Amino acid sequence: GRLVLFDRCSRFNHSCAPNAEYGLREGNVMRVRALRPIREGEEVCVCYLGEDGLLSTPLRRQILSRRYLFRCCCELCDGPEVLAATACPSCGGRVPLGGPCSCGEARSCGEACAIDEAAMRALEG
């Protein structure tokens, strides 16, 4: 295996409610894309958590503290405790709680809650 460092992409700060994401394409080309319109002067942030970004605030903060040594104070973590989104079972994309995914699928609250319970067991074990 090889290790590749993308200097500019490694400088993005974290938010649990990111406005951008990035990923590696063929030929070791890093692609950055906006997840929503970004206002002029607004910081471009990505989520360091991947699928763990769908967890509750205490779990997200615990993971970030252990992996990256900081306490997240983004608007999602500092706001009221709500589950902002779940993972679409069909495409893996983010689905706003109670809303359908762009692929037409929806996820029930029970499935979203199971994510937190499984993650809690993994973190405690």
Side-chain angles (χ1 to χ4, degrees), residues 47-99:
C47 182
Y48 295 173
L49 297 171
E51 289 184 11
D52 290 338
L54 302 174
L55 300 174
S56 66
T57 298
L59 284 173
R60 289 192 315 269
R61 281 184 165 164
Q62 184 177 17
I63 291 167
L64 288 165
S65 176
R66 287 182 180 179
R67 286 185 194 163
Y68 301 102
L69 306 176
F70 73 90
R71 183 177 190 274
C72 186
C73 296
C74 72
E75 68 269 10
L76 190 60
C77 286
D78 278 351
E81 178 59 38
V82 295
L83 181 62
T86 61
C88 174
S90 295
C91 71
R94 291 182 182 195
V95 182
L97 189 62

Side-chain angles (χ1 to χ4, degrees), residues 18-20 34-40 42-43:
N19 56 16
L35 296 172
R36 60 171 175 77
I38 300 172
R39 296 180 310 274
E40 184 176 339
E42 180 181 0
E43 181 179 17

